[in-house]
Amino acid sequence: MTVGILLFEEFETLDVFGPVEILGRLKKEYKIKFYSLSGGDISNSHGVTIFTKKLEEIKNGVDIFLIPGGYGTRIEVENVMLLKTIREISELSKYVLTVCTGSALLAKTGLLDFKNATTNKIAFDWVITNGQNVNWIRKARWVVDEKFYTSSGVSAGMDMTLDFLKDLHGVNIARQVSKEIEYEWTEDSKNDSFC
Amino acid sequence: MTVGILLFEEFETLDVFGPVEILGRLKKEYKIKFYSLSGGDISNSHGVTIFTKKLEEIKNGVDIFLIPGGYGTRIEVENVMLLKTIREISELSKYVLTVCTGSALLAKTGLLDFKNATTNKIAFDWVITNGQNVNWIRKARWVVDEKFYTSSGVSAGMDMTLDFLKDLHGVNIARQVSKEIEYEWTEDSKNDSFC
């Protein structure tokens, strides 16, 4: 399955590379690539720079479209062209996963309207202004509604991605991956100590 | 403080970007850069490529030298030039942090001889063959011995890095960062459920 990861300036490091570690372990199942609106190098203030292809290359969708959060989302929620592209790709993708404030971008496209979703705890009150018809759930490590998986802040993206593996490959595979990376997986999405 | 992160082909994604997320949050305190023996693009099979400077640029040491693990360490433990360079940089750096099987590389230089250290659980029996004079501690989320911080597998690198923040900036800063990234920090290094 193809995994297309959206990047933009000031993406959050672990929002991206937590899920990449987890999906990347199933090498035969997942092929991960990075995309941005204009392509080229995308950076954040943690010193991380990743080369990206143009989003238009996946305009017909991917198996898994992953939207991270980060300070950059505060700017990108006003980027009409990016939001239009996110909407098009998300509609045609099999699954859409957001981490942290990445849900603000997806919510702003309207695709989360009348669906259950969650987001980062500290930025919660800002994120929900970007999707007033979304049924935002504050106490949740992550939320699944049909093809949309939305997680709480940063590290919660790893718990959500393990749950995604569980849904597609069974709980034993998900537990095996969490053991390999020595990660204490919060298996219950309602177990949210940060709320 | 300068953070120099060693990369090599087939580094483990989260070994690198967990600590980067945590140190990167203290933007005024830490400046993160990536290095490899020959410089240039370094990749792994998770689809991640990072541009690196040459290690010789930090031959006089850095404040924090971080050595990740990954399958690449199985090859790099035979790379005499890399081991020589790791030893030189580690001797002149203020702190040396290893994640997962990164401790195999550091152990092979001899710098961990007669010191306490730990490593990845699944690869434990292989790693210790690279440092027969090291006092390897199997049940530990991470181990600190003077300037050397060594962690258990992958995610344990985040717990160790939070402990490093605690040692340098106090426990409140470390807890604040773990809360911001909604990470359930295992504060006790002896609390190792993967052993």
Side-chain angles (χ1 to χ4, degrees):
Chain A
M1 293 210 277
T2 57
V3 182
I5 298 186
L6 171 68
L7 294 186
F8 42 80
E9 296 293 318
E10 291 306 335
F11 65 88
E12 193 69 37
T13 302
L14 192 58
D15 291 15
V16 171
F17 295 107
V20 165
E21 171 71 43
I22 291 165
L23 296 172
R25 289 214 150 233
L26 301 186
K27 286 178 188 139
K28 288 180 185 161
E29 283 80 3
Y30 298 102
K31 177 84 178 165
I32 298 167
K33 291 185 180 171
F34 299 92
Y35 298 89
S36 68
L37 192 57
S38 305
D41 281 344
I42 299 290
S43 302
N44 70 19
S45 56
H46 295 169
V48 183
T49 299
I50 297 286
F51 181 79
T52 59
K53 294 166 178 281
K54 287 187 182 182
L55 277 174
E56 65 184 31
E57 292 189 24
I58 53 168
K59 64 183 177 183
N60 296 322
V62 283
D63 293 310
I64 299 148
F65 187 43
L66 188 139
I67 305 171
Y71 286 111
T73 59
R74 306 265 176 167
I75 292 161
E76 303 301 344
V77 287
E78 307 302 332
N79 185 336
V80 176
M81 181 57 79
L82 179 65
L83 295 175
K84 180 174 172 287
T85 309
I86 288 174
R87 184 177 171 110
E88 287 167 357
I89 294 170
S90 297
E91 282 182 315
L92 294 171
S93 292
K94 203 163 173 183
Y95 298 100
V96 181
L97 280 56
T98 73
V99 181
C100 198
T101 54
S103 55
L105 296 175
L106 186 60
K108 194 87 182 257
T109 69
L111 286 178
L112 288 179
D113 282 0
F114 313 110
K115 294 196 185 302
N116 298 318
T118 194
T119 189
N120 177 289
K121 290 300 170 301
I122 294 166
F124 205 93
D125 293 335
W126 169 72
V127 170
I128 64 176
T129 64
N130 294 286
Q132 303 198 358
N133 293 322
V134 180
N135 179 26
W136 294 105
I137 297 173
R138 198 176 283 262
K139 187 171 172 60
R141 191 77 175 148
W142 72 90
V143 166
V144 185
D145 194 329
E146 297 176 352
K147 75 177 190 179
F148 299 102
Y149 287 66
T150 56
S151 91
S152 192
V154 196
S155 307
M158 292 195 282
D159 296 305
M160 176 189 75
T161 307
L162 286 164
D163 185 66
F164 178 79
L165 285 193
K166 185 191 83 180
D167 289 348
L168 270 69
H169 308 280
V171 72
N172 289 341
I173 293 289
R175 283 181 186 154
Q176 175 63 27
V177 169
S178 73
K179 188 181 167 190
E180 283 173 11
I181 65 170
E182 297 188 31
Y183 181 69
E184 300 273 6
W185 178 26
T186 301
E187 291 194 30
D188 177 4
S189 66
K190 295 182 183 70
N191 180 2
D192 180 13
S193 64
F194 294 95
C195 185
Chain B
M1 292 210 277
T2 57
V3 182
I5 298 185
L6 171 68
L7 294 186
F8 41 79
E9 297 294 319
E10 291 306 334
F11 65 88
E12 193 68 38
T13 302
L14 191 58
D15 290 15
V16 171
F17 295 108
V20 164
E21 172 71 43
I22 290 165
L23 296 172
R25 289 214 149 232
L26 302 186
K27 286 176 189 144
K28 289 180 185 162
E29 283 80 4
Y30 298 101
K31 178 85 178 165
I32 298 167
K33 291 185 179 171
F34 299 93
Y35 298 89
S36 68
L37 191 58
S38 305
D41 281 344
I42 299 290
S43 303
N44 70 18
S45 57
H46 296 168
V48 183
T49 299
I50 298 286
F51 181 79
T52 60
K53 294 167 178 282
K54 287 187 181 181
L55 277 173
E56 65 183 31
E57 291 189 25
I58 53 169
K59 64 181 178 183
N60 295 322
V62 283
D63 294 310
I64 299 149
F65 186 43
L66 188 140
I67 305 170
Y71 286 111
T73 58
R74 306 264 176 170
I75 294 162
E76 303 302 343
V77 287
E78 306 302 333
N79 185 337
V80 176
M81 181 57 78
L82 178 65
L83 295 175
K84 181 173 173 286
T85 309
I86 288 173
R87 184 175 171 113
E88 287 168 355
I89 294 170
S90 297
E91 282 183 315
L92 294 171
S93 292
K94 204 163 174 183
Y95 299 99
V96 182
L97 281 57
T98 73
V99 181
C100 197
T101 54
S103 55
L105 296 175
L106 186 60
K108 194 88 182 255
T109 69
L111 286 179
L112 288 179
D113 281 1
F114 313 109
K115 294 195 186 301
N116 297 319
T118 195
T119 190
N120 177 290
K121 290 301 170 302
I122 295 166
F124 205 93
D125 293 337
W126 169 73
V127 170
I128 65 176
T129 64
N130 294 286
Q132 303 198 358
N133 293 322
V134 179
N135 180 26
W136 293 106
I137 297 173
R138 198 176 283 263
K139 185 170 172 61
R141 190 76 174 148
W142 71 91
V143 166
V144 185
D145 194 328
E146 296 176 352
K147 74 177 191 180
F148 299 101
Y149 287 67
T150 55
S151 90
S152 192
V154 197
S155 307
M158 293 196 282
D159 296 304
M160 176 189 74
T161 307
L162 286 164
D163 186 65
F164 179 78
L165 285 194
K166 186 191 84 179
D167 289 348
L168 269 68
H169 307 281
V171 72
N172 288 341
I173 293 288
R175 284 181 184 154
Q176 175 63 27
V177 169
S178 73
K179 188 181 167 191
E180 284 173 10
I181 66 171
E182 297 188 29
Y183 182 69
E184 301 273 5
W185 178 26
T186 300
E187 292 194 29
D188 178 4
S189 67
K190 295 183 183 70
N191 180 2
D192 179 13
S193 62
F194 294 95
C195 185

